[in-house]
Amino acid sequence: MPMEKGLDGSQSKLSGPNPRMTLPLALVTLISAFGSSFQYGYNVSVINSPAPYMQDFYNRTYIDRHGVPMDASFQTLLWSLTVSMYPLGGFFGSLMVGPLVNNCGRKGTLLINNLFSIVAAVLMGTSEVAKTFEVIIVSRVIMGIYAGLASNVVPMFLGEMSPRNLRGAIGIVPQLFITLGILIAQILGLTSILGHVKGWPLLLGLTGIPSALQLLTLPFFPESPRYLLIQKGNEDEARQALQRLRGWDDVDDEIEEMRQEDKSEKEEGHLSVFTLCTFRGLRWQLISIVVMMMGQQLSGINAVFYYADRIFLSAGVETDHVQYVTVSIGAINVLMTLLAVFIVESLGRRILLLAGFGLCCGSCAVLTLALNLQNTVSWMSYLSIVCVIIYIIGHAIGASPIPFVMITEMFLQSSRPAAFMVGGSVHWLCNFTVGLVFLYMEAGLGAYSFLIFCGICLATMVYIFFIVPETKNKTFMEINRIMAKRNKVEIQTDVEQMMDLQTVPSVKADKSEVLGSDL
C-alpha cells in the first residue's frame, strides 16, 4: 500500500491509495441529492411563474365564499405569506436536524423527511380542486420544514461517507441539484408548458415525485459509516458499509481514523446547541460557520434575481422573452456549480470561497454604478447584464456550495449535528430576513442597495482570508487539530494514540507538530 507523510514527517498509511468514485457511492450521492436537495431548489422557484394565476385563484375562491372580491391589501398579505412561509419552515426544519439525525441516523432522517414532501405535494396539487388556498400556505410551511432538513442532512450524510479526496466534490453535489431544481422549475414554469391557468396545480404537485423515488431506492444503500461506528458503536456494520462504498475489503485505515475520533470525543458526548455555543474548543469553527452562512444569504443573491428581469427589459429584451433569459441565467448557475464540483479538490475550498465572494463583491459595486447610469449611458444596460452573470458565477462556485461543505469538515461527529442546526438556522433566518426587508430597501435606496451587499461580501471575504483554513484532503481529526491552535486548546488525545496511525510507532512527535497549523 502506498505511503504518505505522517504528521511528524514519518511514513503513514492512513489514506492508502486514493479511493475512487465507486458505483454505490455515486448512486447514493445522486439518489440523496435528487431525492432531497432537488426539491429545495424546485420549491424556491416554482411559484414565480404561475404567481398571477395563483393570485387569481385566491381571489376567485374568496368570491365564491363571500360574494365579493378580495381586498388588494389582503391579497398582498396572503401572497407574502405564501412566499415567506417557505424559508420560515426551513428554519423550523433546521431546528429538527439534531434530534432526528442522532436518533434516526442520517439515512433514516432522509427517509422520514420524504413524507413531508409527499404530503405537501398532494395538498398543493389538489388545492384548486378542493377550492382552498389555505392549504397552499400550509403546504409551503411543510415544504420549508422538508427543505430545512434536506439542506442540512444531505451534506452531512454525503460528507461522512465520502473519502477525504472526494469529500469536497461530493459535498457540492447537493448544491448542484439545488440549482438544477431551480432550473427545472423555471423551464416547467414557462407559459408554453405548465406556467398557465390550468397547469400550475400540476407544477406544484410534481415536487413529490423525487421524494417517492428516494423513498423506494435509498433503503438499499448503507447508513453513514461514521454514524454506525461512533454513535451506534457497531463496527461490523460500519466496516461492511465502508467496504461497499469503497469497493475493496481493506478499510482498516478509515476504521482506525474513526476510532481515534471516537476516543477524542468520549468525554464530550453529543453536544447540544447551547453547549456548542459556549464551548471554547469550537469557538472559531462556530464563528466561521455563522459568518459564512450569513455572507451566503446576505450577499444579495435574491436581490440580483429580483432585479434581473428589469435589467434585461432595460437592455431591450422583449417582455415575452424575459422568461427565457431567466432560464438561461438558471442554466449558467447549474453549469458553474458543476464546474465547482470538478475544481474544488484541485483548487481547494478556501480559494473558491475567496474567489466567489470577491466576484460577488466586485459585480455588486459595478452593478450599482451601471444601474444608476443606464438611463443616461445606453451601453450601461449591457454592463448590468454582464454584472449579473459574473455575480451568478461567483455565487455558484463559492458562496453557495462551500459553506455547507465546511460545516461537515470543521466539526467532529459529536458536534456536527448541532453545528448543522446552527448553520442551517442562520441560513434560513437570513433568507427569510432578506425576503422580508429587501422590497423596503429597494424602495428607499434603489440601486444603492447593492452597495450594502458589496460591503457584506467584502467583510465575509476578509474574514475567510484571515481565519478560515484550507481543509482540502485532510481528515476530520487533522482539521480539528488545525483549529485547536486557533482556539488555544489542546486536543483530548495523547501522542501515543496519534502515533497508532503511524507505521513507525517508535517515532515520538513533538507536541507542536501534532497540533500543527495550516493557518
Side-chain angles (χ1 to χ4, degrees):
M1 181 178 292
M3 301 295 184
E4 293 186 357
K5 291 291 183 182
L7 293 173
D8 61 348
S10 64
Q11 297 292 312
S12 169
K13 66 171 186 175
L14 177 59
S15 60
N18 280 337
R20 64 188 185 277
M21 176 62 79
T22 60
L23 182 61
L25 181 58
L27 287 176
V28 74
T29 299
L30 294 176
I31 289 169
S32 301
F34 176 66
S36 294
S37 304
F38 180 87
Q39 281 93 292
Y40 171 14
Y42 187 89
N43 285 280
V44 165
S45 179
V46 71
I47 64 172
N48 292 345
S49 296
Y53 307 109
M54 293 177 67
Q55 291 176 31
D56 180 63
F57 164 67
Y58 285 17
N59 192 42
R60 285 188 287 106
T61 303
Y62 190 86
I63 292 174
D64 290 342
R65 294 177 184 176
H66 303 283
V68 295
M70 186 181 293
D71 183 74
S73 60
F74 184 56
Q75 186 171 22
T76 301
L77 173 63
L78 286 178
W79 188 249
S80 297
L81 288 173
T82 304
V83 174
S84 61
M85 285 300 102
Y86 183 66
L88 189 62
F91 169 70
F92 293 135
S94 295
L95 297 181
M96 297 165 60
V97 169
L100 281 174
V101 297
N102 286 330
N103 291 291
C104 304
R106 281 61 167 152
K107 186 179 80 169
T109 300
L110 289 178
L111 292 173
I112 293 171
N113 197 29
N114 288 319
L115 301 178
F116 288 109
S117 174
I118 293 171
V119 168
V122 171
L123 289 176
M124 290 189 291
T126 58
S127 58
E128 187 182 35
V129 175
K131 295 184 177 181
T132 171
F133 54 78
E134 290 88 352
V135 297
I136 296 178
I137 298 174
V138 173
S139 297
R140 290 285 288 176
V141 178
I142 297 173
M143 278 308 306
I145 293 172
Y146 171 87
L149 279 164
S151 63
N152 290 287
V153 179
V154 175
M156 187 191 309
F157 181 48
L158 297 182
E160 289 182 0
M161 65 170 49
S162 304
R164 62 178 179 173
N165 64 305
L166 296 174
R167 198 167 56 222
I170 291 176
I172 294 178
V173 171
Q175 181 63 35
L176 174 63
F177 274 82
I178 290 172
T179 61
L180 191 60
I182 293 173
L183 177 61
I184 296 301
Q186 291 171 338
I187 293 173
L188 295 179
L190 294 173
T191 53
S192 57
I193 303 180
L194 291 176
H196 50 75
V197 66
K198 294 183 178 180
W200 67 263
L202 178 59
L203 182 66
L204 298 183
L206 287 176
T207 187
I209 294 177
S211 287
L213 292 175
Q214 186 185 77
L215 199 59
L216 293 173
T217 55
L218 192 59
F220 296 99
F221 292 89
E223 175 61 272
S224 160
R226 307 189 81 84
Y227 171 77
L228 291 172
L229 193 149
I230 297 176
Q231 291 181 243
K232 301 298 289 184
N234 194 328
E235 184 175 321
D236 290 338
E237 285 192 19
R239 185 179 296 275
Q240 291 172 12
L242 269 178
Q243 289 171 341
R244 185 177 175 193
L245 291 168
R246 300 295 180 261
W248 57 54
D249 293 333
D250 185 8
V251 293
D252 291 342
D253 296 331
E254 288 192 77
I255 293 291
E256 182 61 24
E257 179 204 333
M258 293 181 202
R259 288 198 195 114
Q260 294 302 323
E261 182 178 335
D262 189 27
K263 288 177 184 176
S264 72
E265 297 190 301
K266 278 294 187 187
E267 296 180 0
E268 297 174 10
H270 298 304
L271 298 185
S272 65
V273 172
F274 176 76
T275 307
L276 176 65
C277 293
T278 56
F279 185 46
R280 179 183 172 187
L282 295 171
R283 178 184 302 165
W284 282 106
Q285 288 98 312
L286 183 65
I287 295 173
S288 297
I289 292 306
V290 170
V291 169
M292 285 189 285
M293 282 299 182
M294 290 182 68
Q296 179 195 69
Q297 289 301 307
L298 300 180
S299 58
I301 183 65
N302 294 331
V304 168
F305 276 114
Y306 176 81
Y307 258 93
D309 286 359
R310 73 175 73 177
I311 289 172
F312 295 133
L313 288 172
S314 66
V317 178
E318 296 182 14
T319 304
D320 293 339
H321 295 160
V322 166
Q323 59 180 337
Y324 298 102
V325 179
T326 302
V327 169
S328 69
I329 292 296
I332 292 173
N333 199 13
V334 172
L335 290 175
M336 289 301 104
T337 307
L338 181 61
L339 175 64
V341 172
F342 290 102
I343 65 176
V344 65
E345 294 299 351
S346 57
L347 296 182
R349 288 68 156 144
R350 201 164 173 272
I351 292 294
L352 290 185
L353 282 169
L354 292 172
F357 279 107
L359 288 174
C360 291
C361 178
S363 56
C364 280
V366 178
L367 184 59
T368 304
L369 177 67
L371 289 174
N372 279 287
L373 296 178
Q374 66 181 2
N375 292 327
T376 55
V377 182
S378 59
W379 56 269
M380 282 293 175
S381 296
Y382 301 101
L383 180 60
S384 298
I385 293 177
V386 172
C387 288
V388 169
I389 294 174
I390 291 175
Y391 183 94
I392 295 299
I393 291 173
H395 224 275
I397 66 171
S400 286
I402 305 300
F404 280 108
V405 176
M406 297 297 284
I407 298 180
T408 301
E409 295 187 328
M410 294 179 76
F411 293 87
L412 298 181
Q413 200 75 13
S414 65
S415 54
R416 193 173 292 125
F420 268 100
M421 288 176 67
V422 173
S425 298
V426 172
H427 170 92
W428 287 102
L429 278 178
C430 290
N431 188 325
F432 177 73
T433 301
V434 171
L436 202 63
V437 306
F438 175 69
L439 291 179
Y440 298 100
M441 282 177 56
E442 196 268 338
L445 299 174
Y448 290 103
S449 302
F450 287 98
L451 286 181
I452 297 176
F453 301 132
C454 176
I456 291 172
C457 290
L458 179 61
T460 306
M461 186 171 61
V462 170
Y463 179 89
I464 291 168
F465 181 81
F466 286 105
I467 301 297
V468 178
E470 180 56 73
T471 58
K472 180 184 73 172
N473 206 29
K474 291 180 173 63
T475 67
F476 294 126
M477 284 299 294
E478 287 172 338
I479 297 167
N480 196 38
R481 287 192 294 276
I482 291 170
M483 296 305 296
K485 188 171 183 180
R486 171 71 65 183
N487 291 316
K488 294 181 173 59
V489 297
E490 293 185 11
I491 301 297
Q492 297 300 312
T493 299
D494 59 29
V495 174
E496 286 73 25
Q497 288 176 338
M498 293 309 306
M499 294 303 296
D500 285 343
L501 300 180
Q502 310 299 325
T503 59
V504 186
S506 61
V507 178
K508 297 297 181 180
D510 181 84
K511 181 179 179 181
S512 63
E513 290 177 321
V514 172
L515 289 177
S517 175
D518 286 358
L519 293 174

